[in-house]
Amino acid sequence: ATVSLELFDILTVAKKISDATDGAFDVTTGAHSRNWRKAKITGELPSKEQLRIAKTASGWKKLILDQETRQVTLPPGMQLDLGGIAKGYAADAMRALLKKNGYPIASIAAGGDIAVGDPPPGREGWRIAIAQDGLQQELTVELANQAVSTSGKAEQRITITGKTYSHIVDPKTGLGLEGSIPVSVIAKSAIQTDAFATAFNVLGREKSAPIAAKLSLRIIWEE
């Protein structure tokens, strides 16, 4: 199907981030996300058969994008989930729109994603508090023409059959992450910070560090 320019842009960036993170971020795992939403309601984990079907239908390498025609081709059963990237894209778009119309000094908050433009008068940047240690402490960062996203917040965890899971689904298992540590990412754009914050939550500290260094992303892990 031919899609809007906005959706095509999001999917193009999503595939690049999937490549960079070896699939730790993957917008094609909508079937896994649907299973996990049901699990949160019923209190029961998806069955092995449900996980198998969802895994077969997922995989960013199977998503085909035609740059010339904006055609997007999905294999049978594949469902998209833009939950880890669309808000970042929207925040960037709002910041660009404000700047275009003469309002370069701006701060846009979209849930766990914040995009800021030029700093307020007399300041070097926007002061943004990042929750630490189960929201008991806060770390303040000062940003200008950058974005920050936080993923893996403690209040979004659920318990099923005695185990605690994050709302973030691991594309490899189809289940919510166990024992994940909240992470914040700082970069030039919110579409980057939104998606990489999700990916780094999946990957953990050790695997995230070289990716962040290569792409000049700043990571802040909850202590």
Side-chain angles (χ1 to χ4, degrees):
T2 301
V3 301
S4 67
L5 179 60
E6 292 81 5
L7 178 55
F8 198 85
D9 285 346
I10 291 174
L11 294 178
T12 299
V13 174
K15 283 205 72 170
K16 290 178 180 178
I17 295 176
S18 293
D19 274 328
T21 61
D22 193 28
F25 176 79
D26 189 349
V27 297
T28 71
T29 55
H32 279 317
S33 299
R34 184 184 61 182
N35 283 340
W36 196 240
R37 282 194 294 271
K38 289 182 179 178
K40 288 192 289 184
I41 295 171
T42 63
E44 297 180 358
L45 295 176
S47 67
K48 290 183 178 180
E49 180 63 8
Q50 287 174 318
L51 292 174
R52 185 193 67 77
I53 292 172
K55 186 172 184 178
T56 300
S58 303
W60 88 97
K61 293 181 181 179
K62 302 174 188 175
L63 177 65
I64 301 173
L65 306 178
D66 189 318
Q67 298 287 339
E68 292 185 4
T69 64
R70 290 210 314 270
Q71 285 273 335
V72 176
T73 305
L74 309 180
M78 177 177 283
Q79 299 177 40
L80 300 180
D81 181 355
L82 305 181
I85 194 169
K87 280 194 301 180
Y89 178 88
D92 287 336
M94 178 61 73
R95 179 175 59 179
L97 181 64
L98 289 171
K99 185 174 182 178
K100 180 181 177 181
N101 286 278
Y103 299 96
I105 301 173
S107 175
I108 297 98
D113 310 308
I114 297 175
V116 300
D118 292 348
R123 294 187 182 178
E124 292 186 2
W126 293 85
R127 292 173 188 167
I128 300 170
I130 297 175
Q132 292 279 291
D133 190 23
L135 309 182
Q136 298 301 310
Q137 301 176 17
E138 290 183 336
L139 170 69
T140 300
V141 295
E142 200 163 33
L143 306 177
N145 295 302
Q146 290 177 291
V148 58
S149 297
T150 300
S151 181
K153 292 180 180 178
E155 67 268 23
Q156 295 190 55
R157 293 174 187 159
I158 60 171
T159 301
I160 300 178
T161 60
K163 288 187 177 181
T164 300
Y165 299 89
S166 167
H167 71 290
I168 297 171
V169 176
D170 185 339
K172 291 186 177 179
T173 66
L175 301 177
L177 297 172
E178 293 183 60
S180 64
I181 301 173
V183 60
S184 298
V185 177
I186 297 172
K188 291 292 185 182
S189 68
I191 194 170
Q192 283 184 300
T193 59
D194 193 5
F196 276 109
T198 299
F200 291 160
N201 216 259
V202 172
L203 291 171
R205 293 179 189 247
E206 187 176 335
K207 293 181 179 179
S208 300
I211 298 172
K214 181 179 179 180
L215 299 175
S216 299
L217 307 173
R218 180 183 174 190
I219 309 181
I220 300 172
W221 293 94
E222 182 176 295
E223 297 301 329

